[in-house]
Amino acid sequence: MQGRKILFGITGSVAAFKVAGWVSSLVKEDAQVTVMMTEAATHFVTPLTFGALSGHQVYTDMFSIGAEEMMAHITLSGDADAILIAPATAQTIARLAQGMADNLLSAAVLAAAAPVVVCPAMNTKMLAHPATQRNLATLQELGYLIVEPESGSLACGEVGSGRLAEWETVREVLQRLFAEQDLTQQQVLITAGPTREALDPARYLSNRSSGKMGYALARTARRRGAQVTLISGPTNLPVPPEVNLILVQTAAEMAEAVREHAPAAHIIIKAAAVADFRPKEVASLKIKKQDADLQLDLVPNQDILATLGRERRSDQILIGFAAESNNHEDEGRRKLEAKKADMIVVNDILGKRTGFDVDTNQVTLITRDGAEQLALLSKEETANSIWDKVMTLGKVAKNEAE
Ligand code: CTP
C-alpha cells in the first residue's frame, strides 16, 4: 500500500463509522488517503474525524469556491491509484450506475481513470430490490469492482445480507489491484500449519507452527493472479479470500489431500510443519494416569515432500521449507537433494523475529544455483520475495505457454 494514492468516498450509511478504522489502517501502511464525503455521510461522521485520520483536507462540496477545492472532482480523481467507495449506499450505487455527476463523489468517479472499488452497505430488502441488483450489475459491466456485502445483523435490526464487508477482504481487493499479475494461469498448491497426531480423544502430538508463512504465500499468490489451493492443518488464521481452503488434522490426511490436488498444480509449496511421527496406537478412550505406560511408541509418517519429489512431473515446480536451529544452509542443501525439490526455503527457528508465530521472517532461498539470504521482512514481504524467486526458476513461462 506504500505510497498508493487512494481516493476514499464515503456515503450516508450508519456503516460510515466503520471506515474510520479503514482510513487509519491505510495511513498506517503509508498509503496517501484523500477522503470525499457525500452530504448525507457528514450526518453520520464528521469530516473532522476523517481529516484527522487521513492528515488531509476532506472534500464534501463541489460548489465550494475555496481555491483548494476548485475543480476538485477533476483534480481529486486525476492522480488516484484507486477509488474506494465505502460504505456505498443504494442511492450512490444508483447514481453511479446512471453515470450521474450531481455531487462531488459521483462527479469525481465519472472523471476518474483509476479503478473503482465499491463496497455496498444497506438494508437487506434494499439490497435485494431488483433496482439495486440491476444497478450493481451495471456497475460490474462498467468494470467497477464490487465487494459483496456480508450477512449478519444490520443496524436496522434485521438479520440478512447488506452488512459492509470486512476491511481484510477489501484490503485484499486493493492489494490485488496493485500487484503485478505474474501468476495468472498458474495453479498453486500450498500446505501450511502444523499437523496433529492423536494419542487418544483428548490429546495429540503437534508443533508450534502458526501457519502464518503458508497463509501469506496463499494470499500473495492469489493477489498475483494464481488459482490457489491451500491445504492447512489447524490454525487460528482467517481464511484468505478466494482461496480453495482444505482443512486437515493429521499428516496422513494432509498426504491424501496433497495426493489428490498435486496433479493439477503447476507450483507446489510445502510450508506445512508436518509431524514426522505419529503414535503407533490411538487409544479410543482417554488414557488414564494409572493405566498409562510411560513409553510412547511412534511410527514414521510419510514424507510428503519427498514423495512429491519422486512422483511429480518435470514441468511442476516443487518447493519445500526447512525449519532449522543450526547448520541452516547445509541442512537446506541436503533437503534440496534428498527431497528432489527445486528450492528449499530455510527458516531459523531460534531467531526472536524469525521463529514460530511471529509476523516477520528471515529466510535463505536455496536452489541448485546457490543460496540467497533475504532481509528480515514481514511474512507477506517474504512470501512475495519467494514468488519473485519462483518466477526466475524457468518453468513458469513454459506453463503460461501451455
Ligand atoms: N515434510 C513433509 N512431510 C513430512 C515431513 C516434512 O512433506 N513428513 C516437508 C515439510 O513440509 C518441509 C520439508 O519437508 O517442506 C522439510 O521439513 P523439515 O521438518 O524441516 O524436515 P525433515 O525432513 O522432517 O528433516 P529433519 O527432521 O531431519 O530436519
PDB file of all heavy atoms in Angstrom, residues 191 251 270-276 301-306 319-324 331 334-335 339 344, ligand 1:
ATOM      1  N   THR A 191       0.790 -26.040   1.238  1.00  0.00           N
ATOM      2  CA  THR A 191       0.394 -26.627   2.521  1.00  0.00           C
ATOM      3  C   THR A 191       0.899 -25.713   3.632  1.00  0.00           C
ATOM      4  O   THR A 191       1.923 -25.048   3.477  1.00  0.00           O
ATOM      5  CB  THR A 191       0.962 -28.044   2.735  1.00  0.00           C
ATOM      6  OG1 THR A 191       2.381 -27.953   2.869  1.00  0.00           O
ATOM      7  CG2 THR A 191       0.605 -28.980   1.597  1.00  0.00           C
ATOM      8  N   ALA A 251      -1.036 -35.787   9.506  1.00  0.00           N
ATOM      9  CA  ALA A 251      -0.121 -35.872   8.362  1.00  0.00           C
ATOM     10  C   ALA A 251      -0.715 -36.775   7.284  1.00  0.00           C
ATOM     11  O   ALA A 251      -0.582 -36.496   6.089  1.00  0.00           O
ATOM     12  CB  ALA A 251       1.231 -36.415   8.834  1.00  0.00           C
ATOM     13  N   LYS A 270       5.485 -26.591  -0.002  1.00  0.00           N
ATOM     14  CA  LYS A 270       5.172 -27.337   1.215  1.00  0.00           C
ATOM     15  C   LYS A 270       5.684 -26.550   2.421  1.00  0.00           C
ATOM     16  O   LYS A 270       6.779 -26.776   2.914  1.00  0.00           O
ATOM     17  CB  LYS A 270       5.818 -28.729   1.160  1.00  0.00           C
ATOM     18  CG  LYS A 270       5.143 -29.655   0.162  1.00  0.00           C
ATOM     19  CD  LYS A 270       4.557 -30.931   0.767  1.00  0.00           C
ATOM     20  CE  LYS A 270       3.674 -30.808   1.929  1.00  0.00           C
ATOM     21  NZ  LYS A 270       3.918 -31.066   3.217  1.00  0.00           N
ATOM     22  N   ALA A 271       4.866 -25.591   2.855  1.00  0.00           N
ATOM     23  CA  ALA A 271       5.273 -24.779   4.006  1.00  0.00           C
ATOM     24  C   ALA A 271       4.810 -25.397   5.322  1.00  0.00           C
ATOM     25  O   ALA A 271       5.147 -24.906   6.395  1.00  0.00           O
ATOM     26  CB  ALA A 271       4.700 -23.370   3.861  1.00  0.00           C
ATOM     27  N   ALA A 272       4.030 -26.472   5.259  1.00  0.00           N
ATOM     28  CA  ALA A 272       3.494 -27.076   6.494  1.00  0.00           C
ATOM     29  C   ALA A 272       4.606 -27.709   7.326  1.00  0.00           C
ATOM     30  O   ALA A 272       5.596 -28.197   6.788  1.00  0.00           O
ATOM     31  CB  ALA A 272       2.454 -28.141   6.133  1.00  0.00           C
ATOM     32  N   ALA A 273       4.402 -27.664   8.634  1.00  0.00           N
ATOM     33  CA  ALA A 273       5.310 -28.367   9.552  1.00  0.00           C
ATOM     34  C   ALA A 273       4.661 -29.721   9.860  1.00  0.00           C
ATOM     35  O   ALA A 273       3.854 -29.844  10.776  1.00  0.00           O
ATOM     36  CB  ALA A 273       5.495 -27.553  10.818  1.00  0.00           C
ATOM     37  N   VAL A 274       4.984 -30.679   9.010  1.00  0.00           N
ATOM     38  CA  VAL A 274       4.336 -31.990   9.108  1.00  0.00           C
ATOM     39  C   VAL A 274       5.008 -32.798  10.221  1.00  0.00           C
ATOM     40  O   VAL A 274       6.236 -32.845  10.302  1.00  0.00           O
ATOM     41  CB  VAL A 274       4.486 -32.754   7.771  1.00  0.00           C
ATOM     42  CG1 VAL A 274       3.697 -34.055   7.800  1.00  0.00           C
ATOM     43  CG2 VAL A 274       4.069 -31.883   6.601  1.00  0.00           C
ATOM     44  N   ALA A 275       4.189 -33.437  11.053  1.00  0.00           N
ATOM     45  CA  ALA A 275       4.778 -34.285  12.102  1.00  0.00           C
ATOM     46  C   ALA A 275       5.491 -35.458  11.437  1.00  0.00           C
ATOM     47  O   ALA A 275       4.934 -36.110  10.551  1.00  0.00           O
ATOM     48  CB  ALA A 275       3.673 -34.801  13.018  1.00  0.00           C
ATOM     49  N   ASP A 276       6.728 -35.698  11.844  1.00  0.00           N
ATOM     50  CA  ASP A 276       7.485 -36.808  11.248  1.00  0.00           C
ATOM     51  C   ASP A 276       6.977 -38.154  11.743  1.00  0.00           C
ATOM     52  O   ASP A 276       7.155 -39.167  11.077  1.00  0.00           O
ATOM     53  CB  ASP A 276       8.969 -36.665  11.587  1.00  0.00           C
ATOM     54  CG  ASP A 276       9.599 -35.505  10.821  1.00  0.00           C
ATOM     55  OD1 ASP A 276       9.197 -35.290   9.661  1.00  0.00           O
ATOM     56  OD2 ASP A 276      10.465 -34.812  11.386  1.00  0.00           O
ATOM     57  N   ASN A 301       5.626 -41.023   9.724  1.00  0.00           N
ATOM     58  CA  ASN A 301       4.638 -40.595   8.727  1.00  0.00           C
ATOM     59  C   ASN A 301       5.299 -40.565   7.362  1.00  0.00           C
ATOM     60  O   ASN A 301       6.528 -40.482   7.250  1.00  0.00           O
ATOM     61  CB  ASN A 301       4.138 -39.184   9.058  1.00  0.00           C
ATOM     62  CG  ASN A 301       3.081 -39.207  10.151  1.00  0.00           C
ATOM     63  OD1 ASN A 301       2.291 -40.155  10.235  1.00  0.00           O
ATOM     64  ND2 ASN A 301       3.077 -38.184  10.986  1.00  0.00           N
ATOM     65  N   GLN A 302       4.459 -40.545   6.350  1.00  0.00           N
ATOM     66  CA  GLN A 302       5.005 -40.390   5.001  1.00  0.00           C
ATOM     67  C   GLN A 302       5.673 -39.012   4.886  1.00  0.00           C
ATOM     68  O   GLN A 302       5.143 -38.037   5.415  1.00  0.00           O
ATOM     69  CB  GLN A 302       3.835 -40.471   3.999  1.00  0.00           C
ATOM     70  CG  GLN A 302       4.275 -40.364   2.565  1.00  0.00           C
ATOM     71  CD  GLN A 302       3.114 -40.033   1.633  1.00  0.00           C
ATOM     72  OE1 GLN A 302       3.088 -38.980   1.007  1.00  0.00           O
ATOM     73  NE2 GLN A 302       2.127 -40.927   1.543  1.00  0.00           N
ATOM     74  N   ASP A 303       6.832 -38.952   4.235  1.00  0.00           N
ATOM     75  CA  ASP A 303       7.421 -37.646   3.926  1.00  0.00           C
ATOM     76  C   ASP A 303       6.751 -37.165   2.636  1.00  0.00           C
ATOM     77  O   ASP A 303       7.038 -37.665   1.547  1.00  0.00           O
ATOM     78  CB  ASP A 303       8.935 -37.769   3.760  1.00  0.00           C
ATOM     79  CG  ASP A 303       9.590 -36.400   3.639  1.00  0.00           C
ATOM     80  OD1 ASP A 303       8.982 -35.511   2.997  1.00  0.00           O
ATOM     81  OD2 ASP A 303      10.684 -36.203   4.185  1.00  0.00           O
ATOM     82  N   ILE A 304       5.854 -36.213   2.795  1.00  0.00           N
ATOM     83  CA  ILE A 304       5.008 -35.807   1.653  1.00  0.00           C
ATOM     84  C   ILE A 304       5.860 -35.132   0.573  1.00  0.00           C
ATOM     85  O   ILE A 304       5.706 -35.389  -0.618  1.00  0.00           O
ATOM     86  CB  ILE A 304       3.885 -34.855   2.126  1.00  0.00           C
ATOM     87  CG1 ILE A 304       3.097 -35.504   3.278  1.00  0.00           C
ATOM     88  CG2 ILE A 304       2.946 -34.509   0.980  1.00  0.00           C
ATOM     89  CD1 ILE A 304       2.137 -34.566   3.988  1.00  0.00           C
ATOM     90  N   LEU A 305       6.781 -34.268   1.032  1.00  0.00           N
ATOM     91  CA  LEU A 305       7.626 -33.544   0.061  1.00  0.00           C
ATOM     92  C   LEU A 305       8.492 -34.524  -0.726  1.00  0.00           C
ATOM     93  O   LEU A 305       8.608 -34.419  -1.953  1.00  0.00           O
ATOM     94  CB  LEU A 305       8.490 -32.521   0.805  1.00  0.00           C
ATOM     95  CG  LEU A 305       9.406 -31.657  -0.060  1.00  0.00           C
ATOM     96  CD1 LEU A 305       8.595 -30.816  -1.054  1.00  0.00           C
ATOM     97  CD2 LEU A 305      10.269 -30.748   0.800  1.00  0.00           C
ATOM     98  N   ALA A 306       9.103 -35.481  -0.003  1.00  0.00           N
ATOM     99  CA  ALA A 306       9.969 -36.448  -0.694  1.00  0.00           C
ATOM    100  C   ALA A 306       9.153 -37.286  -1.679  1.00  0.00           C
ATOM    101  O   ALA A 306       9.616 -37.590  -2.783  1.00  0.00           O
ATOM    102  CB  ALA A 306      10.677 -37.329   0.329  1.00  0.00           C
ATOM    103  N   ILE A 319       8.658 -26.795  -4.087  1.00  0.00           N
ATOM    104  CA  ILE A 319       9.419 -26.002  -3.112  1.00  0.00           C
ATOM    105  C   ILE A 319       9.105 -26.502  -1.709  1.00  0.00           C
ATOM    106  O   ILE A 319       7.939 -26.712  -1.354  1.00  0.00           O
ATOM    107  CB  ILE A 319       9.051 -24.511  -3.240  1.00  0.00           C
ATOM    108  CG1 ILE A 319       9.457 -24.038  -4.645  1.00  0.00           C
ATOM    109  CG2 ILE A 319       9.744 -23.669  -2.168  1.00  0.00           C
ATOM    110  CD1 ILE A 319       8.880 -22.730  -5.036  1.00  0.00           C
ATOM    111  N   GLY A 320      10.169 -26.721  -0.929  1.00  0.00           N
ATOM    112  CA  GLY A 320       9.981 -27.150   0.453  1.00  0.00           C
ATOM    113  C   GLY A 320      10.504 -26.100   1.417  1.00  0.00           C
ATOM    114  O   GLY A 320      11.179 -25.144   1.022  1.00  0.00           O
ATOM    115  N   PHE A 321      10.167 -26.272   2.670  1.00  0.00           N
ATOM    116  CA  PHE A 321      10.701 -25.431   3.733  1.00  0.00           C
ATOM    117  C   PHE A 321      11.602 -26.294   4.608  1.00  0.00           C
ATOM    118  O   PHE A 321      11.443 -27.515   4.659  1.00  0.00           O
ATOM    119  CB  PHE A 321       9.563 -24.843   4.577  1.00  0.00           C
ATOM    120  CG  PHE A 321       9.078 -23.519   4.070  1.00  0.00           C
ATOM    121  CD1 PHE A 321       8.427 -23.438   2.857  1.00  0.00           C
ATOM    122  CD2 PHE A 321       9.291 -22.349   4.797  1.00  0.00           C
ATOM    123  CE1 PHE A 321       7.982 -22.215   2.362  1.00  0.00           C
ATOM    124  CE2 PHE A 321       8.851 -21.124   4.315  1.00  0.00           C
ATOM    125  CZ  PHE A 321       8.197 -21.052   3.099  1.00  0.00           C
ATOM    126  N   ALA A 322      12.524 -25.664   5.280  1.00  0.00           N
ATOM    127  CA  ALA A 322      13.333 -26.393   6.257  1.00  0.00           C
ATOM    128  C   ALA A 322      13.429 -25.532   7.499  1.00  0.00           C
ATOM    129  O   ALA A 322      13.937 -24.405   7.448  1.00  0.00           O
ATOM    130  CB  ALA A 322      14.721 -26.671   5.696  1.00  0.00           C
ATOM    131  N   ALA A 323      12.856 -26.025   8.588  1.00  0.00           N
ATOM    132  CA  ALA A 323      12.908 -25.291   9.851  1.00  0.00           C
ATOM    133  C   ALA A 323      14.144 -25.772  10.587  1.00  0.00           C
ATOM    134  O   ALA A 323      14.221 -26.932  10.976  1.00  0.00           O
ATOM    135  CB  ALA A 323      11.646 -25.594  10.649  1.00  0.00           C
ATOM    136  N   GLU A 324      15.133 -24.900  10.737  1.00  0.00           N
ATOM    137  CA  GLU A 324      16.410 -25.349  11.300  1.00  0.00           C
ATOM    138  C   GLU A 324      16.817 -24.515  12.511  1.00  0.00           C
ATOM    139  O   GLU A 324      16.514 -23.329  12.591  1.00  0.00           O
ATOM    140  CB  GLU A 324      17.527 -25.241  10.239  1.00  0.00           C
ATOM    141  CG  GLU A 324      17.248 -25.992   8.952  1.00  0.00           C
ATOM    142  CD  GLU A 324      17.070 -27.491   9.135  1.00  0.00           C
ATOM    143  OE1 GLU A 324      17.469 -28.032  10.188  1.00  0.00           O
ATOM    144  OE2 GLU A 324      16.500 -28.136   8.237  1.00  0.00           O
ATOM    145  N   GLU A 331      21.891 -27.926   5.888  1.00  0.00           N
ATOM    146  CA  GLU A 331      20.651 -28.712   6.017  1.00  0.00           C
ATOM    147  C   GLU A 331      19.722 -28.440   4.830  1.00  0.00           C
ATOM    148  O   GLU A 331      19.099 -29.341   4.294  1.00  0.00           O
ATOM    149  CB  GLU A 331      19.933 -28.352   7.327  1.00  0.00           C
ATOM    150  CG  GLU A 331      20.473 -29.094   8.529  1.00  0.00           C
ATOM    151  CD  GLU A 331      20.365 -30.605   8.352  1.00  0.00           C
ATOM    152  OE1 GLU A 331      19.239 -31.109   8.286  1.00  0.00           O
ATOM    153  OE2 GLU A 331      21.412 -31.271   8.251  1.00  0.00           O
ATOM    154  N   ARG A 334      21.019 -30.243   1.851  1.00  0.00           N
ATOM    155  CA  ARG A 334      20.789 -31.698   1.994  1.00  0.00           C
ATOM    156  C   ARG A 334      19.330 -32.015   1.640  1.00  0.00           C
ATOM    157  O   ARG A 334      19.049 -32.949   0.887  1.00  0.00           O
ATOM    158  CB  ARG A 334      21.093 -32.121   3.437  1.00  0.00           C
ATOM    159  CG  ARG A 334      20.937 -33.622   3.664  1.00  0.00           C
ATOM    160  CD  ARG A 334      21.288 -34.044   5.087  1.00  0.00           C
ATOM    161  NE  ARG A 334      20.357 -33.558   6.104  1.00  0.00           N
ATOM    162  CZ  ARG A 334      19.148 -34.075   6.324  1.00  0.00           C
ATOM    163  NH1 ARG A 334      18.702 -35.067   5.604  1.00  0.00           N
ATOM    164  NH2 ARG A 334      18.363 -33.565   7.273  1.00  0.00           N
ATOM    165  N   LYS A 335      18.400 -31.183   2.143  1.00  0.00           N
ATOM    166  CA  LYS A 335      16.980 -31.452   1.892  1.00  0.00           C
ATOM    167  C   LYS A 335      16.619 -31.202   0.420  1.00  0.00           C
ATOM    168  O   LYS A 335      15.759 -31.884  -0.142  1.00  0.00           O
ATOM    169  CB  LYS A 335      16.094 -30.612   2.828  1.00  0.00           C
ATOM    170  CG  LYS A 335      16.167 -31.170   4.251  1.00  0.00           C
ATOM    171  CD  LYS A 335      15.413 -30.354   5.280  1.00  0.00           C
ATOM    172  CE  LYS A 335      15.734 -30.892   6.672  1.00  0.00           C
ATOM    173  NZ  LYS A 335      15.121 -30.123   7.749  1.00  0.00           N
ATOM    174  N   LYS A 339      15.053 -34.453  -1.165  1.00  0.00           N
ATOM    175  CA  LYS A 339      13.624 -34.413  -1.488  1.00  0.00           C
ATOM    176  C   LYS A 339      13.380 -34.013  -2.941  1.00  0.00           C
ATOM    177  O   LYS A 339      12.240 -33.797  -3.340  1.00  0.00           O
ATOM    178  CB  LYS A 339      12.904 -33.473  -0.518  1.00  0.00           C
ATOM    179  CG  LYS A 339      13.209 -33.852   0.953  1.00  0.00           C
ATOM    180  CD  LYS A 339      12.223 -33.315   1.935  1.00  0.00           C
ATOM    181  CE  LYS A 339      12.648 -33.647   3.366  1.00  0.00           C
ATOM    182  NZ  LYS A 339      11.571 -33.599   4.326  1.00  0.00           N
ATOM    183  N   ILE A 344      14.558 -24.861  -1.573  1.00  0.00           N
ATOM    184  CA  ILE A 344      14.225 -25.040  -0.163  1.00  0.00           C
ATOM    185  C   ILE A 344      14.340 -23.669   0.509  1.00  0.00           C
ATOM    186  O   ILE A 344      15.327 -22.948   0.312  1.00  0.00           O
ATOM    187  CB  ILE A 344      15.175 -26.049   0.528  1.00  0.00           C
ATOM    188  CG1 ILE A 344      14.988 -27.470  -0.034  1.00  0.00           C
ATOM    189  CG2 ILE A 344      14.979 -26.038   2.051  1.00  0.00           C
ATOM    190  CD1 ILE A 344      13.752 -28.224   0.442  1.00  0.00           C
TER     191      ILE A 344
HETATM  192  N1  CTP B   1       7.798 -32.570   5.094  1.00  0.00           N
HETATM  193  C1  CTP B   1       6.816 -33.366   4.533  1.00  0.00           C
HETATM  194  N2  CTP B   1       6.402 -34.488   5.167  1.00  0.00           N
HETATM  195  C2  CTP B   1       6.935 -34.873   6.332  1.00  0.00           C
HETATM  196  C3  CTP B   1       7.963 -34.077   6.929  1.00  0.00           C
HETATM  197  C4  CTP B   1       8.359 -32.937   6.278  1.00  0.00           C
HETATM  198  O1  CTP B   1       6.320 -33.006   3.457  1.00  0.00           O
HETATM  199  N3  CTP B   1       6.512 -35.962   6.917  1.00  0.00           N
HETATM  200  C5  CTP B   1       8.239 -31.377   4.369  1.00  0.00           C
HETATM  201  C6  CTP B   1       7.901 -30.085   5.074  1.00  0.00           C
HETATM  202  O2  CTP B   1       6.639 -29.603   4.662  1.00  0.00           O
HETATM  203  C7  CTP B   1       9.017 -29.170   4.591  1.00  0.00           C
HETATM  204  C8  CTP B   1      10.176 -30.104   4.375  1.00  0.00           C
HETATM  205  O3  CTP B   1       9.631 -31.417   4.275  1.00  0.00           O
HETATM  206  O4  CTP B   1       8.700 -28.566   3.344  1.00  0.00           O
HETATM  207  C9  CTP B   1      11.217 -30.105   5.437  1.00  0.00           C
HETATM  208  O5  CTP B   1      10.640 -30.326   6.697  1.00  0.00           O
HETATM  209  P1  CTP B   1      11.554 -30.465   7.983  1.00  0.00           P
HETATM  210  O6  CTP B   1      10.702 -30.815   9.139  1.00  0.00           O
HETATM  211  O7  CTP B   1      12.460 -29.272   8.082  1.00  0.00           O
HETATM  212  O8  CTP B   1      12.478 -31.682   7.525  1.00  0.00           O
HETATM  213  P2  CTP B   1      12.535 -33.194   7.845  1.00  0.00           P
HETATM  214  O9  CTP B   1      12.565 -33.925   6.542  1.00  0.00           O
HETATM  215  O10 CTP B   1      11.486 -33.584   8.796  1.00  0.00           O
HETATM  216  O11 CTP B   1      14.003 -33.332   8.423  1.00  0.00           O
HETATM  217  P3  CTP B   1      14.597 -33.181   9.901  1.00  0.00           P
HETATM  218  O12 CTP B   1      13.513 -33.528  10.854  1.00  0.00           O
HETATM  219  O13 CTP B   1      15.725 -34.148   9.863  1.00  0.00           O
HETATM  220  O14 CTP B   1      15.088 -31.751   9.992  1.00  0.00           O
END
